[in-house]
Amino acid sequence: MKANETRVEDFLSSNKTQFVIPVYQRNYDWSTIECRQLLDDILEVGTNKKMNAHFIGSIVYVHDDVYTASRIKELTVIDGQQRLTTLTLIYLVLYRLAKELKNEGLVNEINETYLINKFAPEEEKLKLRPTDNNDKALKYLLRSDENEEFNDFSKLIDNFNYFKGRITEETYQVVLAGLSKLMFVEVSLDREKDDPQRIFESLNSTGLELSQSDLIRNYILMGLNRRDQNKIYQNYWEVIEKLAKDETHNVSLVSDFIRDYLTLENKTIANKGKVYWEFKSKYPSTTLENLETVLTDIKSLVRHYNKLVNPKNESDRDIRVHLEYLNRLETNVAYPFLIKVYDDFANSVIDKPTFLAILDLIQSFIWRRFIIGLPTNALNKIFMSLYEKVDKVDYLISVQRSFLQRTGVQRFPRNSEVIDALKVKDVYNIKSKNRIYLLERLENFDNNEPVLIEGNEDITIEHIFPQNPDSQWKSNLSTDEFNFIKENYLNTIGNLTLSGNNGKLSNKSFTEKRDLPSAGYKDSRLWLNKYLSILDKWDKTEIERRFDLISERFLKIWGIPDISINEGSDNDEVNIFDAELPTNYRKLEYAVFFDQRMEVTDVTKLYVEVFKRLFELQPQTFFTTDLGEKIGVTKKTDTETKQSLVPLNDTYFMEKNIGSNIIKFDRIKYALRLFDFEDELIIKYAEK
């Protein structure tokens, strides 16, 4: 590696040289803010005669002694393309201005010194060779044809126009003077002696803001020769970047997709900020053959990921409807599982009814859990390894069984639990998309003429018993009943309906709402209003009767599989919160904490190992809560020789013999709740 202080002018004026931006580099994306700062610096140094130099960072390139057929030397830029491209735009503006001023000497100097290799063939003429779209924009700007329009979007065009507005006949001399004083550190790498990828990682760690997908793209392409780079990029990575995108909001999801793919492969959930390192660890070899093998699998799954994120791209209407429902529920935690199931459907491993049944099952599982308020953080681990439990011979039942056998915070809520929670749940103040999902599915169940609610401004949610009831409501109900409904049932599903005439119904009495011509419940064709159309009053009893009708429909829509499952024996793996109490004669076979197996055969050993791990993860919690006192945390003292003390680290100890096994279990559970780790500890009792 060679590093030198170099004037920008000298670097750009290198004879018969082309600065190549490789396909693995992120796109040129400097905004007006960065452009303004650079130009302000150039103008300042250009007017300050005392300043002889101004540093603007570094340019790092790989010097492979690669030459084109016409002997043009190629330098592959791995850091500094934003500055290099922006400086080229400034020279382009000066070139255009010089032409307008008919300053032929300046026109030729800028063009032949900083912009082109004069005697090179057309495809090698530009000194800067950016990626495809930017290459078109740069050539368009160089042509200087005012009658030609550039129809594609490009930041190069935007930033060129910005500079064009600021560099004028009055200021261009100052800009030229400033450019002549710009310097940067020129870092030249030899691929045979240096490690460009490691140097790139070092540059990124010092502030180069690249996404995890940018880093992965650089990693897989940087070590290849130019021909293989283009092959891998065009055949694989470009497809992945195109499909792993939220097309509605034009947001790239490549990092998220790769994270889901790694979750599926590794059975562990990568930290969002460490996806690149996980990918690099999983695939340490970046030879062409290995990359084609890995990326073929990733490319096949990204097609399904695209439809999960963008249901409109699924051509089958039945599947598309379910994907839209899942999309509203924000079920991206299920993507590692769903992309594999989607792939099995695409490859005819399962048929359409099975695929639809699984999509419906996941909705039921997630929606039931939402209704009773189970923690969403448990879902990651559930879907992380769910595909492992699929039996290809008995596909659907194996998935259903896996869901039903889960316990504790991972459980599939049973009917009675869901209905009890739904009866009193405030569903009016949940997220709008969830509220609409609930009402739309209830309304359209078994309906051949479905009512569109999502995005339909004509249909809104109506409180039957109003949020601000008038005096008529108070006179129709006893004080106790009026207060009970307002406090307990106001925002529940039993008191909510849909209406296209919410404004007209307002706070009117129930009978007025029912009978309002062309707007009341009697004239409504909605299922949710059918029961209301035959009632003469609206009170606590009727709210509960209507809820019973809705709950019956709810259980048909968000059903639970009707299959027999092996409930298991007392010696199965079980979450500690669902385990039998550890009486003194019970022995453990092992435990699993944070997906790591612990060889512990007694409760005291489990107790010590769990608290050691928790102390390692978050020691401050032991002192900012009463946890430290509960388990007898103490500093290293003369009493450390006591057999009942065990070390948590070099400084702190804990008492291991406080109370019975049952008390130890209770304290472990208390700590897991405190840390929000209820789902992380599995135990298995030894055979009796």
Side-chain angles (χ1 to χ4, degrees), residues 173-217:
Q173 294 285 4
V174 177
V175 173
L176 285 169
L179 287 169
S180 70
K181 298 179 183 181
L182 294 186
M183 299 190 72
F184 55 75
V185 177
E186 173 192 357
V187 182
S188 174
L189 306 179
D190 185 332
R191 197 180 298 276
E192 297 299 320
K193 299 177 182 178
D194 303 311
D195 185 345
Q197 177 64 24
R198 180 163 295 187
I199 292 170
F200 180 81
E201 289 170 2
S202 176
L203 289 167
N204 184 66
S205 68
T206 61
L208 183 64
E209 294 183 1
L210 294 181
S211 70
Q212 295 297 297
S213 61
D214 288 330
L215 291 167
I216 294 169
R217 180 184 61 225

Coordinates of all heavy atoms in Angstrom, one line a residue, residues 173-217:
Q173 N -13.5 32.1 -11.9 CA -12.0 32.2 -11.7 C -11.6 31.8 -10.2 O -10.6 31.2 -10.0 CB -11.6 33.6 -12.0 CG -11.7 34.1 -13.4 CD -10.6 33.5 -14.3 OE1 -9.8 32.7 -13.9 NE2 -10.6 33.8 -15.6
V174 N -12.5 32.2 -9.3 CA -12.2 31.8 -7.9 C -12.3 30.3 -7.7 O -11.5 29.7 -7.0 CB -13.3 32.5 -7.0 CG1 -13.1 32.1 -5.5 CG2 -13.2 34.1 -7.1
V175 N -13.3 29.7 -8.4 CA -13.5 28.3 -8.3 C -12.2 27.6 -8.9 O -11.7 26.6 -8.3 CB -14.7 27.8 -9.1 CG1 -14.8 26.3 -9.1 CG2 -16.0 28.4 -8.4
L176 N -11.7 28.0 -10.0 CA -10.5 27.5 -10.6 C -9.3 27.6 -9.6 O -8.5 26.6 -9.5 CB -10.2 28.1 -11.9 CG -11.1 27.7 -13.1 CD1 -10.8 28.7 -14.3 CD2 -10.8 26.3 -13.5
A177 N -9.2 28.7 -9.0 CA -8.1 29.0 -8.0 C -8.2 28.0 -6.9 O -7.3 27.5 -6.4 CB -8.1 30.4 -7.6
G178 N -9.5 27.8 -6.4 CA -9.7 26.9 -5.2 C -9.4 25.5 -5.6 O -8.8 24.8 -4.8
L179 N -9.8 25.1 -6.8 CA -9.6 23.7 -7.2 C -8.1 23.4 -7.3 O -7.6 22.3 -7.0 CB -10.2 23.5 -8.6 CG -11.7 23.3 -8.6 CD1 -12.2 23.4 -10.1 CD2 -12.2 22.0 -8.0
S180 N -7.3 24.4 -7.7 CA -5.8 24.2 -7.8 C -5.2 24.0 -6.5 O -4.0 23.5 -6.4 CB -5.2 25.4 -8.5 OG -5.2 26.6 -7.7
K181 N -5.9 24.3 -5.4 CA -5.3 24.2 -4.0 C -5.8 22.9 -3.3 O -5.3 22.6 -2.2 CB -5.6 25.4 -3.2 CG -5.0 26.7 -3.7 CD -5.3 27.9 -2.8 CE -4.8 29.2 -3.4 NZ -5.1 30.4 -2.5
L182 N -6.8 22.2 -3.9 CA -7.3 21.1 -3.2 C -6.3 19.9 -3.2 O -5.7 19.6 -4.2 CB -8.6 20.6 -3.9 CG -9.8 21.5 -3.8 CD1 -11.0 20.8 -4.4 CD2 -10.1 22.0 -2.4
M183 N -6.3 19.2 -2.1 CA -5.4 18.1 -1.9 C -6.1 17.0 -1.2 O -7.0 17.2 -0.5 CB -4.1 18.4 -1.2 CG -3.3 19.5 -1.8 SD -1.7 19.7 -1.0 CE -0.8 18.2 -1.6
F184 N -5.7 15.7 -1.5 CA -6.2 14.6 -0.7 C -5.1 13.6 -0.6 O -4.0 13.7 -1.2 CB -7.4 14.0 -1.4 CG -7.2 13.5 -2.8 CD1 -6.5 12.4 -3.1 CD2 -7.8 14.3 -3.8 CE1 -6.4 12.0 -4.4 CE2 -7.6 13.9 -5.2 CZ -6.9 12.8 -5.5
V185 N -5.3 12.6 0.3 CA -4.4 11.5 0.4 C -4.7 10.4 -0.6 O -5.8 9.9 -0.6 CB -4.4 10.9 1.8 CG1 -3.5 9.7 2.0 CG2 -4.1 12.0 2.9
E186 N -3.8 10.2 -1.5 CA -3.9 9.1 -2.5 C -3.4 7.8 -2.0 O -2.2 7.7 -1.7 CB -3.2 9.6 -3.8 CG -3.1 8.5 -4.9 CD -2.2 8.9 -6.0 OE1 -1.5 10.0 -5.9 OE2 -2.0 8.1 -6.9
V187 N -4.3 6.8 -1.8 CA -3.9 5.5 -1.3 C -4.0 4.5 -2.4 O -5.1 4.2 -2.9 CB -4.8 5.1 -0.1 CG1 -4.3 3.8 0.4 CG2 -4.7 6.2 1.0
S188 N -2.9 3.9 -2.8 CA -2.8 3.0 -3.9 C -2.6 1.6 -3.3 O -1.7 1.3 -2.6 CB -1.7 3.3 -4.9 OG -1.6 2.3 -5.8
L189 N -3.5 0.6 -3.7 CA -3.4 -0.7 -3.1 C -3.0 -1.7 -4.2 O -3.4 -1.6 -5.4 CB -4.8 -1.2 -2.6 CG -5.5 -0.3 -1.5 CD1 -6.8 -0.9 -1.1 CD2 -4.6 -0.1 -0.3
D190 N -2.2 -2.7 -3.9 CA -1.8 -3.8 -4.8 C -2.6 -5.0 -4.3 O -2.4 -5.5 -3.2 CB -0.3 -4.0 -4.7 CG 0.2 -5.0 -5.7 OD1 -0.6 -5.9 -6.0 OD2 1.3 -4.9 -6.0
R191 N -3.5 -5.5 -5.2 CA -4.3 -6.7 -4.8 C -3.5 -7.9 -4.3 O -3.9 -8.7 -3.5 CB -5.2 -7.1 -5.9 CG -6.4 -7.9 -5.5 CD -7.3 -8.3 -6.6 NE -7.9 -7.1 -7.2 CZ -9.0 -6.5 -6.7 NH1 -9.6 -7.0 -5.7 NH2 -9.5 -5.4 -7.3
E192 N -2.3 -8.0 -4.9 CA -1.4 -9.2 -4.6 C -0.8 -9.0 -3.2 O -0.6 -10.0 -2.5 CB -0.3 -9.3 -5.6 CG -0.8 -9.6 -7.0 CD -1.6 -10.9 -7.1 OE1 -1.2 -11.9 -6.4 OE2 -2.7 -11.0 -7.8
K193 N -0.6 -7.8 -2.7 CA 0.1 -7.6 -1.5 C -0.9 -7.1 -0.4 O -0.6 -7.3 0.8 CB 1.2 -6.6 -1.7 CG 2.3 -7.0 -2.6 CD 3.3 -5.9 -2.9 CE 4.4 -6.4 -3.9 NZ 5.4 -5.3 -4.1
D194 N -1.9 -6.3 -0.7 CA -2.8 -5.7 0.2 C -4.1 -6.5 0.2 O -4.4 -7.3 -0.6 CB -3.1 -4.3 -0.1 CG -1.8 -3.5 -0.2 OD1 -1.0 -3.6 0.8 OD2 -1.6 -2.8 -1.2
D195 N -4.9 -6.2 1.2 CA -6.3 -6.8 1.3 C -7.3 -5.7 1.2 O -7.7 -5.1 2.2 CB -6.4 -7.5 2.7 CG -7.8 -8.3 2.8 OD1 -8.7 -8.0 2.0 OD2 -7.9 -9.1 3.7
P196 N -7.8 -5.4 0.0 CA -8.7 -4.3 -0.2 C -10.0 -4.4 0.7 O -10.5 -3.4 1.1 CB -9.1 -4.4 -1.7 CG -7.9 -5.1 -2.3 CD -7.4 -6.1 -1.3
Q197 N -10.5 -5.6 0.9 CA -11.7 -5.8 1.7 C -11.5 -5.4 3.1 O -12.3 -4.7 3.7 CB -12.2 -7.2 1.6 CG -13.4 -7.5 2.4 CD -14.7 -6.7 2.0 OE1 -14.7 -6.3 0.8 NE2 -15.6 -6.5 2.9
R198 N -10.3 -5.8 3.7 CA -10.1 -5.4 5.1 C -9.9 -3.9 5.2 O -10.3 -3.3 6.2 CB -8.8 -6.2 5.6 CG -8.4 -5.8 7.0 CD -7.5 -6.9 7.6 NE -8.1 -8.2 7.6 CZ -7.6 -9.2 8.2 NH1 -6.4 -9.1 8.8 NH2 -8.2 -10.4 8.3
I199 N -9.2 -3.3 4.2 CA -9.0 -1.9 4.3 C -10.3 -1.2 4.1 O -10.6 -0.2 4.8 CB -8.0 -1.4 3.2 CG1 -6.6 -2.0 3.5 CG2 -8.0 0.1 3.0 CD1 -5.6 -1.8 2.4
F200 N -11.2 -1.7 3.3 CA -12.5 -1.1 3.1 C -13.3 -1.2 4.4 O -14.0 -0.2 4.8 CB -13.3 -1.8 2.0 CG -14.6 -1.3 1.7 CD1 -14.8 -0.2 1.0 CD2 -15.7 -1.9 2.3 CE1 -16.1 0.3 0.8 CE2 -17.0 -1.4 2.1 CZ -17.2 -0.3 1.3
E201 N -13.2 -2.3 5.1 CA -13.9 -2.5 6.4 C -13.4 -1.4 7.4 O -14.2 -0.8 8.1 CB -13.7 -3.9 6.9 CG -14.5 -4.9 6.2 CD -14.1 -6.3 6.6 OE1 -13.2 -6.4 7.5 OE2 -14.6 -7.3 6.0
S202 N -12.1 -1.2 7.4 CA -11.5 -0.2 8.3 C -12.0 1.2 8.0 O -12.4 2.0 8.9 CB -10.0 -0.3 8.2 OG -9.4 0.7 9.0
L203 N -12.1 1.5 6.7 CA -12.6 2.8 6.3 C -14.1 3.0 6.7 O -14.5 4.0 7.2 CB -12.5 3.0 4.8 CG -11.1 3.1 4.2 CD1 -11.2 2.9 2.7 CD2 -10.6 4.5 4.5
N204 N -14.9 1.9 6.6 CA -16.3 2.0 7.0 C -16.4 2.2 8.5 O -17.3 2.9 8.9 CB -17.0 0.7 6.6 CG -18.5 0.8 6.9 OD1 -19.2 1.5 6.2 ND2 -18.9 -0.1 7.8
S205 N -15.5 1.6 9.3 CA -15.7 1.7 10.7 C -15.3 3.1 11.2 O -15.6 3.5 12.3 CB -14.7 0.7 11.4 OG -13.4 1.1 11.2
T206 N -14.7 3.9 10.4 CA -14.3 5.2 10.8 C -15.3 6.3 10.3 O -15.0 7.5 10.3 CB -12.9 5.6 10.2 OG1 -12.9 5.6 8.8 CG2 -11.8 4.7 10.8
G207 N -16.5 5.8 9.8 CA -17.5 6.8 9.5 C -18.1 6.8 8.2 O -19.0 7.5 7.9
L208 N -17.7 5.9 7.3 CA -18.3 5.8 6.0 C -19.7 5.1 6.2 O -19.7 4.0 6.6 CB -17.4 5.0 5.0 CG -17.9 4.8 3.6 CD1 -17.9 6.2 2.9 CD2 -17.0 3.9 2.9
E209 N -20.7 5.8 5.9 CA -22.1 5.3 6.3 C -22.6 4.4 5.2 O -23.3 4.8 4.2 CB -23.0 6.5 6.5 CG -22.7 7.3 7.8 CD -23.7 8.4 8.0 OE1 -24.7 8.5 7.3 OE2 -23.5 9.1 9.0
L210 N -22.3 3.1 5.3 CA -22.8 2.1 4.3 C -23.8 1.2 5.1 O -23.6 0.9 6.2 CB -21.7 1.3 3.8 CG -20.6 2.0 2.9 CD1 -19.6 1.0 2.4 CD2 -21.3 2.7 1.7
S211 N -24.8 0.8 4.3 CA -25.8 -0.2 4.9 C -25.1 -1.5 5.0 O -24.1 -1.8 4.4 CB -27.0 -0.2 4.0 OG -26.7 -0.8 2.8
Q212 N -25.8 -2.5 5.7 CA -25.3 -3.8 5.8 C -25.3 -4.5 4.4 O -24.3 -5.2 4.0 CB -26.2 -4.6 6.7 CG -26.1 -4.2 8.2 CD -24.7 -4.3 8.8 OE1 -24.2 -5.4 8.9 NE2 -24.2 -3.2 9.1
S213 N -26.2 -4.2 3.5 CA -26.3 -4.7 2.2 C -25.2 -4.2 1.3 O -24.6 -4.9 0.5 CB -27.6 -4.5 1.5 OG -27.9 -3.1 1.4
D214 N -24.8 -2.9 1.5 CA -23.7 -2.3 0.8 C -22.4 -3.1 1.1 O -21.6 -3.4 0.2 CB -23.5 -0.8 1.2 CG -24.6 0.1 0.6 OD1 -25.1 -0.2 -0.5 OD2 -24.8 1.1 1.3
L215 N -22.2 -3.4 2.4 CA -21.0 -4.1 2.8 C -21.0 -5.5 2.3 O -19.9 -6.0 1.8 CB -20.9 -4.1 4.4 CG -20.7 -2.7 5.1 CD1 -21.0 -2.9 6.5 CD2 -19.3 -2.3 4.8
I216 N -22.1 -6.1 2.2 CA -22.2 -7.5 1.7 C -21.9 -7.5 0.2 O -21.1 -8.3 -0.3 CB -23.5 -8.1 2.0 CG1 -23.7 -8.3 3.5 CG2 -23.7 -9.5 1.3 CD1 -25.1 -8.7 3.9
R217 N -22.5 -6.5 -0.5 CA -22.2 -6.4 -1.9 C -20.7 -6.2 -2.2 O -20.2 -6.9 -3.1 CB -23.0 -5.3 -2.5 CG -22.9 -5.1 -4.0 CD -23.6 -3.9 -4.5 NE -23.1 -2.7 -3.9 CZ -23.9 -1.7 -3.4 NH1 -25.2 -1.8 -3.4 NH2 -23.3 -0.6 -2.8

